[in-house]
């Protein structure tokens, strides 16, 4: 294997043609003055003196951009793309992330011209198809969650939490007192306390019981007239279903507090149980987890919020309504065009249902918490989620849930003799081990995760949830076949053997990658960022 890139002095990579599996020079290092990836036809209009004409904005120095040919750029990015591990390359057992397969048909549907090209400023009368997609998805999500209303605006799970807690706050304010505290179990995802804090609430920690669930007695003691809500992930981050959740809801409601459910783990519930039926007042979904939209890398996501009817008046504006005419619905801020869909404008090709109602945005919502995002949400993500839901149908979604839970339990059953299982409660869609036995030989969860890379798998989630010291959090999702699960299990068993026999091998992993183990502290504290401008 070639010397790792860190050994090479800055800037020398530009002189070496890297093997695709090894390092890749920066575009700046590959640049040669004068190279172009385009060719323009000869000027057929009179030339102007741009620097003189555009004095105020014209650069005094040319931009320091790399100069390369088209094929060099194509190869550069294609090579880089082969370094990414992806769900299309293999299993991605990151717990809490639901890295499931994203069926290609979703992409096809999302690229349908009329939807992909729809402009958000298009008059409602010409956007009835896109609005129908939104209406249908809203209906599917209210049905799946057992709630009464939903907003599709939030752009991610954390954004959904924020929106949901804004609703909680607005409702309490309408009752005369926003209250002060939000209770959060110690097993919670870090976004929950962050959300509570950013919505102006004090975070109060709720300790889990020995089974990893809510301690009902502690809860009863801690809920007061100052408690605005409990934020609860169900199933919890250790993959355990909170079987007392209806009692949790009763305890909260008795004191006028609300139950918020973090629905990021709905992959374990869809088609089986509905949060609306067990006392949840408001929740979010992660469409990019449960409903198969590609996620990661900071790409677009979607975190719809579903709520009970009493919270509906507070939902972000605008909300979709189906009716004849637009009277009293208000207009989009700063625009007079949105609601130009006057009754009678149907000669413009308006989609109309048989009962001659059509879909409109209602901006006239005096109790709304306001907008949380431009326009109507990440529409491409919404379309993918709807395609996935409709392609599966109710039975398919239920099967998906059952398979996800079965897969996690299969992994649990086949690894629990060699990896410590701190919580013995039945697992749902993910299973959390700890490195207790391996740590006795100095091998930690992070070492095992890095060794997994040598076996061709993406690591599981490391050191989370925090209530499990040295956690190994594994979520296979329903996408994996028995054969793939067996390969993964064999890899994990083999690493456990190595931890016994050759612990140093595991502690120095990965051994098969372009770059070996980094000094994580140095990588974070003194990142080595290099570029070489042409100057
Ligand atoms: C992923 C996740 C979130 C946050 O969702 P984002 O879309 O990443 O903002 C919140 N809670 C839980 C339990 C999660 O797994």
């Amino acid at each position: 294997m070639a010397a790792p890139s860190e050994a090479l002095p800055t800037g020398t990579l530009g002189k070496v043609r890297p093997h695709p599996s090894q390092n890749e020079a920066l575009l700046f290092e590959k640049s040669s003055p004068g190279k172009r990836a385009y060719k323009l036809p000869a000027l057929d209009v009179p030339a102007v003196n741009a620097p003189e004409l555009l004095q105020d904005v014209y650069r005094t120095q040319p931009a320091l951009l790399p100069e390369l040919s088209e094929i060099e750029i194509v190869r550069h990015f294609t090579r880089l793309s082969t370094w990414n591990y992806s769900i299309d390359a293999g299993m991605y057992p990151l717990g809490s992330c639901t890295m499931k397969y994203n069926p290609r048909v979703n992409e096809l549907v999302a690229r349908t011209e009329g939807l992909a090209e729809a402009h958000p400023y298009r008059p409602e009368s010409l956007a009835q198809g896109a609005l129908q997609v939104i209406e249908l998805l809203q209906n599917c999500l209210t049905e799946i969650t057992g709630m009464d209303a939903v907003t599709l605006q939030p752009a991610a799970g954390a954004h959904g939490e924020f929106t949901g807690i804004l609703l909680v706050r607005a409702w309490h304010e309408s009752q005369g007192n926003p209250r002060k505290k939000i209770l959060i179990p110690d097993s919670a995802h870090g976004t929950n306390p962050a959300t509570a804090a950013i919505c102006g609430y004090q975070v109060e920690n709720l300790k889990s019981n020995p089974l990893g669930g809510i301690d009902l007695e502690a809860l009863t003691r801690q809920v007061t007239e100052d408690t605005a809500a409990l934020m609860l992930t169900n199933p919890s981050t250790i993959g355990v279903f909170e079987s007392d959740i209806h009692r949790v809801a009763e305890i909260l409601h008795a004191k006028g507090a609300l139950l918020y459910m973090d629905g990021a783990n709905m992959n374990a519930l869809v088609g089986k149980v509905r949060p609306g039926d067990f006392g949840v007042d408001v929740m979010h979904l992660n469409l990019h987890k449960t409903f198969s939209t590609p996620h990661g890398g900071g790409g677009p996501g979607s975190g719809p919020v579903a709520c009970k009817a009493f919270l509906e008046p507070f939902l972000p504006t605008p909300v979709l309504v189906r009716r004849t005419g637009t009277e009293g619905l208000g207009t989009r801020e700063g625009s007079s065009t949105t609601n130009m869909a006057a009754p009678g404008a149907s000669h413009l090709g308006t989609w109309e249902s048989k009962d001659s109602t059509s879909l409109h945005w209602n901006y006239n919502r005096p109790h709304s918490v306001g907008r949380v995002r431009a326009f109507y949400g990440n529409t491409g993500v919404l379309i993918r989620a709807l395609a996935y839901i409709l392609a599966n149908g109710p039975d398919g979604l239920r099967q998906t849930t059952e398979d996800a839970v079965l897969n996690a339990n299969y992994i649990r059953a086949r690894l629990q003799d060699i990896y410590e299982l701190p919580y013995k409660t039945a697992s749902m869609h993910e299973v959390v081990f700890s490195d207790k036995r391996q740590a006795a030989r100095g091998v930690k969860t992070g070492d095992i995760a890095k060794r997994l890379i040598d076996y061709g798998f993406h690591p599981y989630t490391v050191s989370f949830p925090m209530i499990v010291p040295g956690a190994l959090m594994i979520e296979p999702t329903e996408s994996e076949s028995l054969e793939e699960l067996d390969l993964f299990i064999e890899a994990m068993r083999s690493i456990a053997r190595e931890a016994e026999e050759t612990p140093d091998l595991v502690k120095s992993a990965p051994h098969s990658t372009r770059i070996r183990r980094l000094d994580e502290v140095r990588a974070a504290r003194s990142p080595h960022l290099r570029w070489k401008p042409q100057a």
Side-chain angles (χ1 to χ4, degrees), residues 91-109:
M91 183 175 169
Y92 216 115
L94 268 185
S96 201
C97 295
T98 311
M99 300 295 291
K100 62 160 78 175
Y101 173 61
N102 307 301
R104 290 301 180 271
V105 67
N106 299 355
E107 297 304 315
L108 204 71
V109 177

Side-chain angles (χ1 to χ4, degrees), residues 13 18-30 71-86 514-515 530:
L13 280 171
H19 183 275
S21 70
Q22 287 152 27
N23 219 335
E24 177 76 13
L26 302 179
L27 283 180
F28 292 102
E29 292 165 343
K30 293 162 167 292
I71 183 73
E72 287 172 316
I73 297 168
V74 169
R75 285 181 178 161
H76 175 73
F77 286 108
T78 304
R79 282 196 290 254
L80 288 182
S81 75
T82 65
W83 297 356
N84 282 350
Y85 192 89
S86 66
R514 290 172 41 251
I515 293 181
R530 62 194 161 83

Side-chain angles (χ1 to χ4, degrees), residues 95-98 155-161 188-192 233 235-237 262-265 284-286 288-289 295 301-303 430 464:
S96 201
C97 295
T98 311
H159 197 197
E161 291 173 33
H189 195 266
T191 49
N192 293 181
T233 306
S236 72
T237 39
D262 180 329
N265 292 344
H284 79 265
L285 294 159
N286 287 54
H288 46 287
K289 292 178 179 170
H295 70 305
S302 177
E430 59 197 2
F464 178 80

Side-chain angles (χ1 to χ4, degrees), residues 67-146:
E67 297 171 84
L68 295 103
S69 69
E70 183 172 308
I71 183 73
E72 287 172 316
I73 297 168
V74 169
R75 285 181 178 161
H76 175 73
F77 286 108
T78 304
R79 282 196 290 254
L80 288 182
S81 75
T82 65
W83 297 356
N84 282 350
Y85 192 89
S86 66
I87 193 68
D88 292 340
M91 183 175 169
Y92 216 115
L94 268 185
S96 201
C97 295
T98 311
M99 300 295 291
K100 62 160 78 175
Y101 173 61
N102 307 301
R104 290 301 180 271
V105 67
N106 299 355
E107 297 304 315
L108 204 71
V109 177
R111 283 165 176 70
T112 307
E113 195 187 346
L115 294 171
E117 304 285 309
H119 195 283
Y121 283 142
R122 183 186 283 189
E124 285 172 357
S125 61
L126 299 177
Q128 289 295 308
L131 296 182
Q132 211 193 341
V133 166
I134 290 177
E135 182 192 44
L136 189 53
L137 179 61
Q138 288 184 171
N139 291 345
C140 290
L141 297 181
T142 45
E143 172 67 25
I144 287 169
T145 56

Side-chain angles (χ1 to χ4, degrees), residues 96-430:
S96 201
C97 295
T98 311
M99 300 295 291
K100 62 160 78 175
Y101 173 61
N102 307 301
R104 290 301 180 271
V105 67
N106 299 355
E107 297 304 315
L108 204 71
V109 177
R111 283 165 176 70
T112 307
E113 195 187 346
L115 294 171
E117 304 285 309
H119 195 283
Y121 283 142
R122 183 186 283 189
E124 285 172 357
S125 61
L126 299 177
Q128 289 295 308
L131 296 182
Q132 211 193 341
V133 166
I134 290 177
E135 182 192 44
L136 189 53
L137 179 61
Q138 288 184 171
N139 291 345
C140 290
L141 297 181
T142 45
E143 172 67 25
I144 287 169
T145 56
M147 308 297 273
D148 299 318
V150 65
T151 173
L152 304 178
Q153 261 184 49
H159 197 197
E161 291 173 33
F162 171 71
T163 307
I165 297 301
L166 285 186
L167 300 185
V168 168
R169 192 178 183 95
W171 181 76
H172 280 301
E173 271 167 3
S174 77
Q175 306 296 299
N177 177 4
R179 303 196 167 196
K180 295 205 179 77
K181 288 184 305 193
I182 290 200
L183 294 176
I184 298 184
D186 49 11
S187 61
H189 195 266
T191 49
N192 293 181
T195 294
I198 215 159
C199 293
Y201 284 112
Q202 289 162 24
V203 176
E204 194 172 303
N205 201 332
L206 193 64
K207 266 182 77 68
S208 304
N209 67 21
L211 299 176
I214 295 278
D215 183 334
L216 292 180
E217 275 170 31
L219 180 69
T220 311
R221 272 195 312 278
Q222 277 178 257
V223 184
T224 68
E225 311 282 324
D226 269 344
T227 311
L230 165 70
M231 291 182 84
L232 184 66
T233 306
N234 195 24
S236 72
T237 39
I238 52 169
V240 171
F241 186 80
E242 186 61 67
S243 49
D244 283 330
I245 188 142
H246 59 293
R247 294 191 50 205
V248 169
E250 281 164 17
I251 294 169
L252 291 161
H253 292 158
K255 290 275 163 94
L258 301 185
L259 176 55
Y260 182 95
M261 191 179 111
D262 180 329
N265 292 344
M266 277 295 284
N267 212 45
L269 304 188
V270 173
K272 304 293 286 185
V273 289
R274 309 192 313 162
D277 297 338
F278 51 64
V280 171
D281 298 301
V282 50
M283 64 178 292
H284 79 265
L285 294 159
N286 287 54
L287 298 189
H288 46 287
K289 292 178 179 170
T290 316
F291 298 99
S292 93
T293 269
H295 70 305
S302 177
V305 170
C307 66
K308 288 284 171 63
F310 72 97
L311 292 172
E312 194 278 340
F314 307 101
L315 285 178
T317 42
V319 300
L320 199 61
V321 290
R322 175 180 284 286
R323 54 185 273 187
T324 45
T326 60
E327 206 180 324
L329 296 183
T331 53
R332 178 171 7 91
E333 309 83 344
S335 162
S336 55
T337 56
T338 297
N339 288 319
M340 61 189 262
S346 54
H347 64 278
L348 293 172
T350 308
W351 177 90
E352 298 226 22
S353 71
K354 286 183 205 73
D355 62 4
S356 86
T357 57
S358 49
L359 290 161
H360 308 281
W361 291 112
N362 181 6
Y363 293 86
N364 188 10
R365 304 260 307 166
H367 302 291
S368 166
V369 298
R371 256 187 194 289
V372 296
R373 193 190 177 282
F375 304 117
Y376 320 110
N378 279 330
T379 316
V381 178
L382 305 181
I383 296 165
R384 287 176 179 86
L386 182 62
Y388 176 78
I389 290 170
L390 296 182
N392 275 290
D395 292 342
L397 291 175
R398 190 172 307 115
Q399 182 76 50
T400 294
T401 301
E402 289 169 358
D403 290 349
V405 173
L406 180 63
N407 281 356
N409 280 280
Y410 181 67
I411 290 176
R412 169 181 158 137
R414 292 215 41 212
L415 290 181
Q416 63 182 352
D417 61 322
I418 45 170
Y419 289 97
E420 183 80 13
L421 193 65
Y423 290 95
K424 312 273 188 281
T425 332
S427 294
M428 296 288 289
H429 62 304
E430 59 197 2

